[in-house]
């Protein structure tokens, strides 16, 4: 990196003769590019109020690249040609095209004017770095995003002819990225790539009635276009004749960091008949004692220092149904996490939940998971089998013959208890197997173990839902049947 | 609820596994898999069984039915005509199941109900096809809209909706099995499911009586014990 203190404005007089006095190849390239421009064009643009970097990015043929990051705008001005200084606007005025963005002049959140002392990329990067560090993220690579006010492209069109602009010129967004990326990489100590962590620089207009350069398309078409100057390489360049106001306010810059969501997977158990799967509130009143979602998500979120979480599960069970056996697979998605907890801390979280006093919920196999998480969730879908144990009462005593298990197809209409929010349909579901387990000393109750296709309403299968589920336990046994309680004993995923 | 008789209550029962196949299957599998694995899954199974069984509490002789647990029962008597008594079971989600109350005069005829016809009013209620979550094509009915006509040996009676709302479904099983009305009018013999709007329900509710009031009112004329 060349030392930016070398080409100070004092030296510019020395360069007027066209001799480059320092040997750095990068800055020499920039110098040559600057000097290749037609001086009158430059003079006019400068007097209009276009900043040096905008001039360079829009009317040089050479690539506008990171070499420019270290060259201050006063140096640039020196290089842009003789006689320019007399017509030059005072240094502090804001560029009419880029609104000060490429001059590294902006206001912070509190509307205080910030002007980088060193007037080059690294100063700007340092300021951004401070704000990034305040947000507390841990990262080793980042993606830089820039958002600019829309008036900038209107400004460009007002100054330059549309056709001219359509040939490949560097946009303000790209120019800014080029100037700032290398220094930012260095001061953050991170790589830059399209990673899952983004730093967004948002420039917004200070006030609504700003920047009189922009005009309506209609007005622009009526404008006479003048072929005024010729650039050596290209064809004609065009500058509009509209007068411009020179008083502009700098943009407000805010820096915001965001981490893409991270995922954790595991299996949960629900031991309580008074805990819902997800947070359930009706009329400001919570239903049930707690929810699986809040117990698990609420433990993981603080460990990640995230903004919020989402809970996804492979299926669900009612609030009064326990989830036992192998547990039900779930995912926790954490938004904008500041750090990723280690497997050690995840194990600690798991133990804390499992050893809690109330023992409402249990967790197993809690771990960090990548983008394969959705495939894992989908494994638990429609075709898979679920296993249940239900305590059933029948109106007549159980007999030996009843216990012969049958696998059957059942047809069920949408149960009444969900009919209010689901389509009225008739669905076919398979009961893969059933077995009846007697309870000693009681002939009216038994434990029903069954394995069914996903989407089978077990409660309705037992009591028949007023005859809308056929066959039902009642119709099979030829009597009335009621379900007292239900437990899920297995949620089969894949080949498990 | 008076029907639950807690005379015979069993606590913490022990199970007696009847199923023939599973025990045999298990002993076969032991030969094929290594003992370690089997031991672990056996332990898990035992854990599971303990959990399943420990939760079985009192076992009343006759537990409350699903209808009793999930619905609130209302009745309306002498609706548009004397003796036309209906029940309205309202689910927590707002849906109403409509049917004939035990004291409906149709039951008093010899032989009970022999036929039901849903083709009343302007259309056949049994061919309505309601679709989608928004319940498109549901017939909007007033409380006195005719639902169906039930016939006995002597006479026929019009059954009305009793509740203003969208008609979601009629029990078309009754067409082939009208005797369900005689044997279990309060369960498999329900007539229709209607979805009232909350505002309409609040107004409607005023003309209905509760289960308690119904029993008191018809103390003398009970045809069969109320199965609810």
């Amino acid at each position: 990196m060349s030392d930016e203190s070398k080409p100070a404005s004092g030296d510019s007089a020395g360069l007027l003769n066209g001799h480059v006095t320092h040997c750095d190849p990068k800055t020499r390239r920039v110098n040559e590019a600057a000097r290749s421009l037609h001086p009158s064009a430059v003079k006019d643009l400068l007097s209009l109020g276009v900043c040096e970097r905008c001039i360079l990015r829009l009317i040089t043929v050479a690539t506008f690249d990171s070499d420019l990051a270290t060259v201050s705008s006063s140096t640039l001005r020196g290089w842009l040609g003789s006689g320019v200084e007399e017509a030059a606007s005072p240094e502090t005025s804001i560029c009419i095209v880029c609104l000060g963005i490429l001059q590294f002049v902006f206001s912070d959140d509190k509307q205080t004017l910030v002007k980088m002392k060193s007037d080059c990329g690294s100063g700007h990067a340092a300021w951004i770095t401070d704000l990034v560090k305040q947000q507390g993220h841990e990262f080793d690579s980042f993606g830089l995003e820039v958002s600019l006010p829309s008036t900038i492209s209107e400004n460009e069109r007002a100054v330059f002819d549309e056709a001219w602009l359509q040939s490949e010129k560097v946009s303000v967004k790209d120019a800014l990225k080029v100037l700032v990326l290398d220094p930012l990489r260095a001061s953050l100590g991170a790589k830059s790539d399209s990673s899952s962590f983004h730093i967004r620089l948002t420039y917004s207009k200070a006030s609504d009635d700003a920047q009189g350069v922009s005009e309506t398309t209609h007005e622009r078409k009526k404008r006479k276009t003048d072929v005024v100057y010729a650039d050596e390489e290209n064809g004609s360049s065009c500058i509009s004749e509209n007068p411009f106001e020179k008083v502009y306010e700098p943009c407000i810059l805010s820096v915001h960091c965001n981490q893409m969501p991270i995922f954790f997977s595991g299996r949960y158990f629900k031991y309580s008949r008074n805990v819902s799967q997800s947070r359930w509130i009706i009329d400001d009143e919570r239903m049930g004692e707690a929810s699986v979602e809040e117990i698990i998500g609420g433990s993981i979120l603080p460990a990640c220092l995230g903004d919020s979480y989402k809970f996804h599960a492979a299926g669900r069970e009612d609030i009064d149904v326990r989830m036992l056996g192998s547990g039900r697979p779930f995912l926790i998605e954490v938004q904008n996490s500041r750090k990723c907890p280690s497997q050690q801390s995840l194990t600690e979280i798991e133990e804390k939940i499992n050893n809690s006093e109330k023992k409402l919920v249990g967790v197993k196999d809690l771990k960090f998971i990548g983008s394969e998480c959705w495939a894992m969730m989908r494994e638990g879908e429609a075709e898979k089998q679920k296993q249940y144990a239900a305590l059933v009462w029948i109106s007549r005593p159980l007999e030996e013959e009843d216990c012969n298990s049958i696998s059957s197809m059942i047809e069920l209409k949408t149960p009444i208890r969900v009919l209010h929010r689901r389509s009225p349909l008739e669905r076919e579901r398979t009961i893969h197997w059933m077995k009846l387990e007697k309870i000693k000393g009681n002939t009216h109750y038994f434990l029903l173990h069954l394995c069914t296709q996903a989407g089978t309403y077990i409660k309705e299968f037992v009591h028949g839902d007023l005859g809308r589920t056929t066959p039902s336990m009642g119709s099979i046994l030829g009597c009335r049947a009621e379900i007292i309680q239900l437990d899920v004993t297995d949620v089969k995923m894949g080949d498990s | 609820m008076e029907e639950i008789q807690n005379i015979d209550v069993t606590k913490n029962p022990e199970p007696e596994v009847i199923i023939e196949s599973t025990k045999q299957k298990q002993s076969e599998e032991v030969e094929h898999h290594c003992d370690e694995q089997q031991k672990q899954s056996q332990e898990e199974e035992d854990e599971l069984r303990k959990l399943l069984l420990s939760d079985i509490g009192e076992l009343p002789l006759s537990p409350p039915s699903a209808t009793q647990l999930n619905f609130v029962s209302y009745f309306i008597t002498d609706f548009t005509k004397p003796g036309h008594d209906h029940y309205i079971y309202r689910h927590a989600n707002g849906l109403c199941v409509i049917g004939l109350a035990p004291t409906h005069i149709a039951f008093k005829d010899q032989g009970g109900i022999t036929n039901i016809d849903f083709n009343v009013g302007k259309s056949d209620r049994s061919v309505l096809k309601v679709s989608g979550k928004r319940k498109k094509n549901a017939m909007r009915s007033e409380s006195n809209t005719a639902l169906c006509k039930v016939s006995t040996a002597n006479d026929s009676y019009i059954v009305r909706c009793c509740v203003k709302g969208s008609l979601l479904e009629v029990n078309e099983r009754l067409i082939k099995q009208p005797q369900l009305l005689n044997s279990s009018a309060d369960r498999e013999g329900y007539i229709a499911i209607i979805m009232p709007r909350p505002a309409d329900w609040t107004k409607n509710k005023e003309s209905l009586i509760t289960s308690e009031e119904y029993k008191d009112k018809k103390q003398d004329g009970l045809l069969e014990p109320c199965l609810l």
Side-chain angles (χ1 to χ4, degrees):
Chain A
M1 286 261 205
S2 55
D3 184 1
E4 41 103 355
S5 60
K6 253 200 267 169
S9 38
D11 287 341
S12 54
L15 295 172
L16 279 175
N17 298 332
H19 296 301
V20 182
T21 52
H22 46 272
C23 331
D24 187 288
K26 293 187 197 172
T27 39
R28 194 187 306 143
R29 272 184 59 217
V30 178
N31 184 17
E32 282 168 5
R35 291 169 56 70
S36 70
L37 303 179
H38 196 299
S40 336
V42 173
K43 175 177 159 189
D44 274 337
L45 285 172
L46 283 175
S47 61
L48 272 178
V50 182
C51 74
E52 299 79 8
R53 293 193 177 101
C54 278
I55 294 175
L56 264 175
R57 71 180 173 87
L58 286 170
I59 61 175
T60 51
V61 177
T63 326
F64 185 100
D65 59 21
S66 53
D67 295 346
L68 270 160
T70 55
V71 180
S72 70
S73 26
S74 39
T75 313
L76 272 179
R77 176 169 319 209
W79 292 350
L80 280 172
S82 56
V84 167
E85 310 224 35
E86 304 96 53
S89 333
E91 270 190 64
T92 48
S93 84
I94 288 171
C95 174
I96 58 169
V97 175
C98 69
L99 302 176
I101 291 174
L102 292 181
Q103 296 167 297
F104 303 130
V105 176
F106 54 88
S107 300
D108 64 10
D109 286 342
K110 302 181 198 65
Q111 302 267 24
T112 319
L113 183 69
V114 180
K115 188 176 176 212
M116 290 293 110
K117 280 185 224 138
S118 51
D119 185 33
C120 68
S122 50
H124 198 48
W127 195 85
I128 296 174
T129 305
D130 275 341
L131 288 181
V132 168
K133 290 212 167 120
Q134 275 172 30
Q135 298 188 36
H137 289 80
E138 280 178 12
F139 58 95
D140 38 61
S141 70
F142 67 94
L144 184 66
E145 295 171 356
V146 175
S147 161
L148 304 174
S150 53
T151 49
I152 291 205
S153 51
E154 291 168 29
N155 294 350
E156 282 182 340
R157 278 198 290 273
V159 176
F160 299 94
D161 182 71
E162 189 101 26
W164 174 258
L165 282 176
Q166 270 167 17
S167 49
E168 284 181 33
K169 300 300 166 193
V170 179
S171 68
V172 177
K173 202 181 278 199
D174 292 337
L176 182 65
K177 283 192 182 176
V178 153
L179 292 172
V180 137
L181 206 53
D182 277 343
L184 203 52
R185 267 196 283 249
S187 72
L188 285 174
K191 306 187 296 258
S192 88
D193 53 25
S194 56
S195 82
S196 55
F197 174 68
H198 297 129
I199 299 176
R200 173 174 280 269
L201 308 178
T202 307
Y203 289 89
S204 46
K205 280 196 292 186
S207 57
D208 279 345
D209 51 73
Q211 341 300 354
V213 176
S214 57
E215 54 185 5
T216 63
T217 321
H218 186 60
E219 286 170 38
R220 201 178 299 130
K221 287 198 170 105
K222 276 175 129 187
R223 203 173 17 97
K224 268 193 289 182
T225 51
D226 246 340
V227 178
V228 179
Y229 299 111
D231 184 42
E232 284 161 58
E233 302 272 331
N234 295 346
S236 38
S237 88
C238 227
I239 302 176
S240 95
E241 291 185 328
N242 279 0
F244 299 109
E245 278 185 44
K246 285 212 179 156
V247 180
Y248 295 103
E249 286 179 43
C251 298
I252 300 176
L253 168 62
S254 60
V255 176
H256 182 72
C257 300
N258 188 59
Q259 168 73 40
M260 297 295 278
I262 57 174
F263 296 85
F264 301 92
S265 71
R267 283 189 176 238
Y268 75 81
F269 305 91
K270 185 159 89 76
Y271 301 117
S272 160
R273 293 193 189 279
N274 196 22
V275 168
S276 56
Q277 193 192 65
S278 48
R279 203 160 143 261
W280 190 8
I281 302 201
I282 297 183
D283 293 335
D284 290 340
E285 241 189 81
R286 172 194 285 282
M287 306 297 286
E289 211 179 309
S291 70
V292 176
E293 168 183 70
E294 287 167 295
I295 290 176
I296 301 180
S299 307
I300 293 183
L301 187 67
C304 299
L305 297 173
D307 286 348
S308 61
Y309 66 86
K310 286 189 196 164
F311 177 81
H312 311 273
R316 53 187 181 204
E317 64 280 331
D318 287 346
I319 188 172
D320 58 346
V321 173
R322 291 187 303 176
M323 180 70 230
L324 309 172
S326 50
R328 187 184 295 276
F330 70 88
L331 283 181
I332 296 274
E333 178 187 335
V334 180
Q335 264 76 24
N336 205 13
S337 55
R338 305 303 196 274
K339 66 175 200 175
C340 188
S342 61
Q343 184 57 52
Q344 170 77 11
S345 8
L346 289 177
T347 312
E348 282 168 22
I349 291 175
E350 192 180 309
E351 278 168 17
K352 181 162 156 247
I353 296 177
N354 290 337
N355 297 332
S356 76
E357 213 186 296
K358 277 195 177 168
K359 264 217 166 310
L360 301 171
V361 167
V363 177
K364 150 176 122 167
D365 294 343
L366 184 63
K367 61 180 197 281
F368 179 84
I369 191 171
S371 47
E372 67 270 22
C373 56
W374 297 114
M376 186 202 83
M377 278 288 116
R378 270 194 290 274
E379 272 183 41
E381 236 151 76
E383 299 316 306
K384 299 313 172 186
Q385 300 177 5
K386 310 283 165 75
Q387 226 170 288
Y388 304 87
L391 180 60
V392 177
W393 171 88
I394 47 172
S395 53
R396 63 156 175 81
L398 193 64
E399 277 144 44
E400 291 294 323
E401 306 81 79
D402 299 328
C403 301
N404 294 324
S405 61
I406 28 166
S407 153
S408 62
M409 278 299 250
I410 63 171
E411 243 189 53
L412 47 97
K413 293 184 151 183
T414 311
I416 296 182
R417 66 187 165 100
V418 298
L419 186 54
H420 66 295
R421 58 178 165 83
R422 304 191 70 171
S423 315
L425 287 177
E426 281 179 28
R427 301 176 175 91
E428 265 191 11
R429 288 290 182 269
T430 315
I431 310 258
H432 296 290
W433 52 259
M434 279 197 290
K435 52 184 194 176
L436 281 64
E437 180 183 321
K438 271 193 185 174
I439 293 176
K440 194 167 177 191
N442 197 307
T443 50
H444 281 264
Y445 284 87
F446 61 90
L447 263 181
L448 173 67
H449 298 270
L450 62 164
C451 180
T452 71
Q453 190 182 354
T456 315
Y457 287 86
I458 305 298
K459 292 180 181 174
E460 275 70 16
F461 169 67
V462 174
H463 62 62
D465 197 29
L466 302 183
R468 297 164 79 253
T469 295
T470 50
S472 68
M473 251 355 269
S475 67
I476 293 173
L477 297 177
C479 60
R480 235 179 10 120
E482 299 292 346
I483 183 167
I484 310 302
Q485 60 193 32
L486 178 64
D487 294 326
V488 186
T489 55
D490 200 4
V491 174
K492 292 196 199 301
M493 301 280 283
D495 298 315
S496 57
Chain B
M1 307 200 200
E2 321 82 272
E3 286 73 29
I4 305 171
Q5 296 150 44
N6 282 322
I7 303 171
D8 264 337
V9 172
T10 328
K11 285 191 167 61
N12 293 327
E14 295 155 36
E16 225 178 84
V17 182
I18 299 293
I19 299 312
E20 60 281 23
S21 50
T22 26
K23 279 257 146 114
Q24 287 173 1
K25 212 173 168 201
Q26 268 187 351
S27 53
E28 280 168 16
E29 283 173 349
V30 164
E31 292 158 22
H32 292 131
H33 298 270
C34 72
D35 283 347
E36 278 277 339
Q37 250 183 14
Q38 197 56 31
K39 210 174 160 199
Q40 200 201 0
S41 67
Q42 184 65 39
E43 275 173 20
E44 281 173 7
E45 251 192 62
D46 289 340
E47 267 296 315
L48 180 60
R49 290 186 60 74
K50 260 197 292 182
L51 277 173
L52 285 178
L53 300 169
S54 63
D55 206 46
I56 300 177
E58 302 193 354
L59 298 176
L61 194 67
S62 187
S65 72
T67 316
Q68 282 170 302
L69 286 175
N70 300 323
F71 293 85
V72 178
S73 309
Y74 296 93
F75 293 84
I76 190 162
T77 54
D78 307 317
F79 187 59
T80 69
K81 274 189 179 166
H84 283 54
D85 303 339
H86 308 87
Y87 66 74
I88 297 105
Y89 297 156
R90 183 173 156 89
H91 195 275
N93 62 25
L95 296 184
C96 296
V97 178
I98 313 293
L100 300 180
T103 51
H104 196 281
I105 55 170
F107 294 124
K108 296 195 168 79
D109 289 354
Q110 189 76 17
I113 296 174
T114 53
N115 190 48
I116 185 166
D117 186 8
F118 283 103
N119 197 356
V120 295
K122 295 203 183 97
S123 59
D124 189 344
R125 306 337 185 186
S126 64
V127 302
L128 291 170
K129 274 300 161 224
V130 178
S131 64
K133 286 187 194 176
R134 305 250 177 261
K135 318 296 186 282
K136 268 188 345 185
N137 302 334
M139 185 181 94
R140 320 244 44 224
S141 65
E142 296 291 328
S143 55
N144 58 5
T145 307
L147 210 43
C148 65
K149 186 170 71 174
V150 293
S151 316
T152 62
N154 308 337
D155 216 338
S156 64
Y157 310 89
I158 299 282
V159 180
R160 300 186 187 272
C161 290
C162 308
V163 179
K164 177 179 173 185
S166 306
L167 179 64
L168 295 189
E169 171 180 311
V170 298
N171 187 359
E172 69 267 0
R173 284 171 294 281
L174 294 175
I175 299 175
K176 293 239 179 82
Q177 300 177 285
Q179 66 273 16
L180 286 173
L181 284 162
N182 299 317
S183 59
S184 47
D186 62 327
R187 284 171 61 100
E188 286 80 11
Y190 77 94
I191 297 197
I193 302 179
I194 295 185
M195 184 168 79
R197 286 217 209 103
D200 292 335
W201 169 254
T202 324
K203 263 195 291 191
N204 241 139
K205 204 170 146 193
E206 288 159 27
S207 44
L208 306 177
I209 58 175
T210 66
S211 181
E212 281 299 314
E213 291 165 344
Y214 172 72
K215 283 196 197 67
D216 292 339
K217 193 169 179 187
K218 293 291 180 173
Q219 200 66 35
D220 305 315
L222 269 173
L223 202 64
E224 46 185 327
C226 188
L227 285 171
L228 302 176

